[in-house]
Amino acid sequence: MQPPERQALGLLQTVLCGPGGEVHADVFFFFFFGFDDQLLHDLHYSFGEELHLLKKAPFSEITPDDVDEAEMIISTTPFAFGRKNVVFVNPILSRQDIHAIRNEINHIHHLRLRMEIITFLLTIFREQLYFRNVDAGNSPEAVIRFLSGKAADLGCCDETFTEDVLAREQISSTAFTDHCAIPHSMAEPPRSSFIAVLHNDVPIHWNGRYVNFVLLIGIREQDMPRFRNVFDLVIDTFSNVEKTLRLLKTNDWREFIQILTAE
């Protein structure tokens, strides 16, 4: 092993590219007999074109921004970096190290996707279209007309959209659980994408079921690719008994969104 004065803690700033886009990572290591070159070789061998070297510098030249800008840190030294997304590895990567790095990359992609879902969700779940314990009638038609009327007041849809939603409801009930109905249009798009929510403590009679939530959905065609993940989130949430019970206890839009987006 080299004497201490010849040991230096260094930084390799890399970009790990995956299906979810580039993941920025800092790689910290000790320079011991070319182990830095071996580490780079192992990373390149394991991740191929997913890994691109951006920067190599002595530890003394590393700034806090170098660490803060990284989405992930890979280190051969068990240092307290004071942040998440840190993977400690051996200078010569083991299978376990590679697996740990891959898991962290997948986790970052998951967080990115989740952030994209929440960002889009907040643009369509408008607080102005959330209604709590409002007497909007006790039938699908009455509630649909109430919610679509409120959406129309904001310029989101028109009467043609409303009639299309009512026609869709005549084909089959949109109450997919004992607590939630999701009426939507068949062919008539809204002027802008939205989801209007009615949450009542007193259940609403909905084609043979009694629901506490009605989510009127209007999505423009160009927003459909982003909406699919939001729709999956809504379905998964209301299919989960525990989360549904938590939603039933919410009293305002913020609480509703918080439970809806909780993992």
Side-chain angles (χ1 to χ4, degrees):
M1 181 176 294
Q2 295 176 334
E5 62 269 16
R6 296 190 61 188
Q7 298 176 8
L9 187 62
L11 163 71
L12 293 177
Q13 189 178 63
T14 65
V15 178
L16 296 171
C17 308
E22 296 181 341
V23 174
H24 295 269
D26 289 342
V27 181
F28 292 92
F29 57 91
F30 277 105
F31 293 105
F32 290 137
F33 298 106
F35 277 6
D36 56 318
D37 292 332
Q38 183 65 52
L39 177 60
L40 286 177
H41 175 270
D42 292 346
L43 288 171
H44 179 72
Y45 179 82
S46 301
F47 298 99
E49 295 303 317
E50 292 181 279
L51 188 66
H52 299 278
L53 176 64
L54 293 181
K55 181 179 180 181
K56 178 177 180 178
F59 184 71
S60 60
E61 296 180 9
I62 298 171
T63 66
D65 289 340
D66 290 325
V67 176
D68 293 341
E69 292 175 3
E71 293 178 283
M72 175 173 65
I73 291 175
I74 302 171
S75 176
T76 62
T77 305
F79 179 78
F81 290 97
R83 52 162 293 168
K84 297 180 179 180
N85 304 328
V86 178
V87 181
F88 296 111
V89 300
N90 297 294
I92 299 179
L93 291 183
S94 66
R95 290 184 179 180
Q96 184 176 358
D97 293 334
I98 295 170
H99 182 68
I101 293 172
R102 174 59 64 193
N103 283 344
E104 195 59 45
I105 293 173
N106 291 338
H107 176 64
I108 291 172
H109 288 325
H110 169 74
L111 293 178
R112 284 181 173 181
L113 176 60
R114 184 166 180 78
M115 183 57 64
E116 291 176 5
I117 292 173
I118 293 176
T119 299
F120 182 61
L121 180 147
L122 291 176
T123 67
I124 57 178
F125 273 95
R126 310 183 189 190
E127 189 170 3
Q128 306 96 307
L129 291 177
Y130 173 89
F131 304 94
R132 184 75 170 92
N133 284 331
V134 174
D135 184 5
N138 195 35
S139 69
E141 180 175 357
V143 175
I144 289 171
R145 288 195 181 278
F146 169 79
L147 291 176
S148 62
K150 295 298 184 180
D153 291 342
L154 296 180
C156 297
C157 63
D158 54 24
E159 184 62 25
T160 305
F161 172 84
T162 302
E163 295 303 323
D164 194 46
V165 175
L166 290 171
R168 164 63 186 84
E169 195 67 37
Q170 290 297 317
I171 295 175
S172 62
S173 175
T174 55
F176 79 99
T177 73
D178 290 332
H179 293 287
C180 183
I182 306 182
H184 54 276
S185 64
M186 292 185 294
E188 191 65 31
R191 291 174 179 171
S192 61
S193 296
F194 72 92
I195 297 181
V197 180
L198 175 62
H199 173 196
N200 284 354
D201 291 333
V202 178
I204 301 165
H205 185 258
W206 201 278
N207 296 324
R209 284 187 171 180
Y210 290 88
V211 301
N212 298 93
F213 292 93
V214 179
L215 278 61
L216 174 63
I217 295 178
I219 304 296
R220 298 183 304 169
E221 184 176 355
Q222 55 265 47
D223 289 332
M224 275 298 178
R226 290 194 296 168
F227 172 69
R228 286 189 175 92
N229 289 325
V230 173
F231 184 72
D232 289 342
L233 175 64
V234 171
I235 296 299
D236 291 344
T237 298
F238 281 98
S239 297
N240 183 296
V241 175
E242 180 182 352
K243 292 194 73 172
T244 299
L245 292 176
R246 292 172 63 191
L247 283 172
L248 287 168
K249 297 178 181 178
T250 59
N251 289 306
D252 57 35
W253 177 83
R254 293 183 184 277
E255 290 181 356
F256 176 82
I257 294 297
Q258 184 177 11
I259 300 301
L260 183 65
T261 58
E263 287 196 283

